[in-house]
Amino acid sequence: MKTLRKIDPQIYNLIKLEEKRQKEVLEMIPSENYASSAVLEALGTVLNNKYSEGYPKKRYYQGNAVADSVELLAQDRAKKLFGVPYVNVQALSGSVMNLAVYFATLEPLKGKIMGLSLAFGGHLTHGQKMSASGKFFKSVLYTLGEDGKLDYEKIEQQAIAEKPDIIVCGFTAYPRIVDFKQFAQIADKAGAILLADISHIAGLIVGGAHPSPVPYAHIVTTTTHKTLRGPRGALIMVTKKGLEKDPELSKKIDTAIIPGLQGGPHDNQTAAIAVALLEASSLKFKQYAKQIVKNAKALSDELIKFKFKLVSNGTDNHLILIDLSNKGVNGAIAAFALEVAGIVVNKNGIPFDTNPPFYPGGIRLGTPAITTRGMKEKDMIRVAAWINRAIEQVKNERLPENKEERSVFMKDFKKRALKNQELLKICNEVKSFTSKFPLP
Ligand code: DSN
């Protein structure tokens, strides 16, 4: 970055600081990852300079021969990797991706979406009232069973009673295998389209570490930067089953993206997606995907030894949701203390949480990024021990119930945590540990 350093030292220095942070910490937010150098190189290219409204061979502007080849290559790789007949690679993010599906398939203000409640691990775009998906469409939300797992019988009863037009399966904080076949049966009985949003687990699916929804869902969406380890971006796929249900579905999705929701695609992003898809089709990536799950299982076993209460008692995938109620620690307090200790997770609601969303009862963590750095099961023993030590430091920190008192308390707590010698000691240990695991 020699030129950037010369032209804009402020931004250069900030990027360097972020690079240092990413190197030194245990990055354990389950939706984050380290993209390869090849992916990052593709992002920082002259493809950024081009406008390509339209689709390959049907563009509104001249000069798109290369953009066409890039987009066709990305499409081709995605179709092969996921085994689908159609893909749109232009959605700029996960939220636009799901909105495009709704605009392609539902009538605004009339069509009904049924998705998992945000409070139980669903996503904003799965029909939550505060998001466009819940404002422009009718929506009804399902929840999890008492055991923290999907209750397929209850979901089926609700789907038959509510008759949604589209059922969304795929989640942001669900640690178990999703039975896509059962969801398909439910959707068929309710006469609904089945949308599988596999953003979190796409890398596990193509790596053979989680079953694929492709034989069962009509539409499959995914972001490209989580376990798939690409640039930020998204894929919207229509399956064979989807095209049998509606042969026009792919055209409707293309139209929903442009002119419906977006203008020009980001060709540099499309190129980087193509690179990530190539990388994800390697044998090495399959090993990576399986290792993510092995690490998450090893970590959950270790956390259980320290009496952490895990939602659903463990994990089948890349993420772990810890219910901190038995430790008496709020998720916001735990997440901050862990950050001081060099372990980056996010505070998260747990099923049936009675805490406010900004101060939820749990934390969410995962293994995609640390597995990219080469960590294995044995390393999870140390990670769990550090997490336990950090949480022990804050077990007597009681968050006030009153809103004003809470924010005063948090300010004071943060000051104390930043000076906590044990947390700082863990941070040093983590730093020396992570220095042995280079970034890609
Ligand atoms: N922000 C993503 C996640 O962390 O799961 C979902 O959009």
Side-chain angles (χ1 to χ4, degrees):
M1 296 197 294
K2 277 187 220 120
T3 317
L4 178 62
R5 185 182 199 167
K6 205 168 129 206
I7 301 290
D8 191 339
Q10 273 177 298
I11 285 293
Y12 170 85
N13 286 332
L14 287 170
I15 294 172
K16 283 312 222 186
L17 272 180
E18 175 59 9
E19 192 178 306
K20 183 170 178 288
R21 186 196 71 80
Q22 291 191 15
K23 268 187 192 153
E24 289 180 350
V25 301
L26 284 164
E27 194 65 73
M28 298 193 74
I29 292 176
S31 48
E32 293 185 3
N33 212 331
Y34 297 102
S36 71
S37 304
V39 165
L40 296 182
E41 280 178 17
L43 275 177
T45 60
V46 292
L47 288 169
N48 173 73
N49 302 341
K50 190 71 197 103
Y51 255 128
S52 316
E53 276 104 330
Y55 288 99
K57 318 267 189 238
K58 272 186 276 169
R59 306 284 186 186
Y60 289 87
Y61 295 177
Q62 298 312 118
N64 271 308
V66 172
D68 281 1
S69 300
V70 167
E71 188 164 341
L72 288 170
L73 202 51
Q75 287 176 356
D76 196 46
R77 287 178 182 171
K79 283 194 234 172
K80 283 201 184 106
L81 191 60
F82 287 92
V84 292
Y86 159 87
V87 63
N88 184 303
V89 299
Q90 292 195 7
L92 300 178
S93 76
S95 298
V96 183
M97 151 193 105
N98 284 337
L99 263 189
V101 172
Y102 304 140
F103 278 110
T105 54
L106 308 177
E107 215 180 311
L109 305 179
K110 288 194 179 149
K112 194 194 264 187
I113 301 164
M114 177 166 155
L116 182 65
S117 159
L118 185 69
F120 285 79
H123 190 253
L124 276 172
T125 61
H126 295 175
Q128 319 299 325
K129 297 291 175 200
M130 65 292 237
S131 100
S133 65
K135 287 188 198 287
F136 286 93
F137 303 97
K138 289 185 185 159
S139 70
V140 56
L141 302 170
Y142 56 95
T143 57
L144 298 176
E146 299 277 333
D147 57 358
K149 293 186 183 172
L150 290 160
D151 181 343
Y152 294 94
E153 218 172 286
K154 211 171 109 203
I155 296 168
E156 178 171 324
Q157 285 166 6
Q158 196 177 356
I160 289 170
E162 292 283 348
K163 296 192 179 40
D165 299 291
I166 194 159
I167 295 178
V168 189
C169 58
F171 316 105
T172 63
Y174 188 66
R176 293 297 179 180
I177 297 277
V178 182
D179 188 338
F180 294 115
K181 192 173 175 187
Q182 285 222 51
F183 264 110
Q185 285 162 357
I186 295 169
D188 286 346
K189 279 187 197 164
I193 292 170
L194 182 63
L195 163 62
D197 178 348
I198 56 167
S199 293
H200 263 259
I201 54 172
L204 304 185
I205 289 170
V206 299
H210 189 291
S212 169
V214 168
Y216 308 109
H218 299 103
I219 302 170
V220 178
T221 54
T222 181
T223 49
T224 45
H225 47 276
K226 298 186 174 91
T227 49
L228 202 53
R229 213 165 55 180
R232 304 191 92 83
L235 306 174
I236 306 173
M237 299 173 266
V238 179
T239 63
K240 190 165 160 270
K241 192 175 165 190
L243 286 179
E244 278 163 12
K245 188 173 174 73
D246 179 1
E248 297 294 303
L249 200 47
S250 50
K251 269 194 213 131
K252 289 179 185 168
I253 285 173
D254 282 348
T255 310
I257 287 285
I258 171 166
L261 290 161
Q262 293 184 178
H266 294 177
D267 296 328
N268 55 330
Q269 187 177 9
T270 309
I273 289 174
V275 175
L277 293 168
L278 180 71
E279 289 174 344
S281 55
S282 67
L283 183 63
K284 222 167 136 199
F285 193 88
K286 284 195 169 53
Q287 290 161 352
Y288 163 64
K290 295 196 172 104
Q291 191 63 47
I292 293 177
V293 177
K294 283 187 202 163
N295 284 351
K297 281 181 189 287
L299 180 59
S300 83
D301 289 348
E302 291 302 315
L303 289 168
I304 288 168
K305 286 184 196 162
F306 288 115
K307 306 264 183 296
F308 280 102
K309 198 169 146 197
L310 308 191
V311 171
S312 85
N313 290 323
T315 183
D316 297 326
N317 57 25
H318 62 302
L319 77 81
I320 295 167
L321 195 53
I322 304 182
D323 172 350
L324 289 164
S325 56
N326 65 327
K327 300 274 180 188
V329 180
N330 182 273
I333 289 179
F336 190 82
L338 286 166
E339 185 179 357
V340 177
I343 301 168
V344 181
V345 306
N346 66 276
K347 61 186 174 200
N348 213 95
I350 46 162
F352 307 100
D353 209 334
T354 50
N355 299 285
F358 207 72
Y359 297 98
I363 49 172
R364 185 186 70 151
L365 61 160
T367 52
I370 58 173
T371 306
T372 292
R373 297 185 76 165
M375 292 178 202
K376 297 267 163 56
E377 291 98 310
K378 64 174 177 8
D379 302 310
M380 299 306 113
I381 299 171
R382 300 193 69 182
V383 174
W386 280 318
I387 292 174
N388 183 52
R389 271 169 63 194
I391 301 297
E392 280 294 303
Q393 285 303 301
V394 291
K395 69 178 180 199
N396 295 321
E397 302 283 357
R398 289 284 166 276
L399 191 71
E401 286 196 7
N402 174 287
K403 219 172 158 187
E404 280 77 44
E405 283 176 30
R406 211 160 46 207
S407 72
V408 175
F409 171 87
M410 276 311 279
K411 264 192 204 141
D412 186 56
F413 159 69
K414 285 181 181 176
K415 273 191 211 147
R416 272 182 284 120
L418 286 166
K419 286 191 212 137
N420 180 303
Q421 289 310 305
E422 176 69 355
L423 294 179
L424 295 173
K425 187 161 174 260
I426 299 170
C427 184
N428 274 331
E429 290 170 21
V430 166
K431 231 182 260 181
S432 118
F433 179 72
T434 51
S435 68
K436 297 186 196 98
F437 298 92
L439 297 194

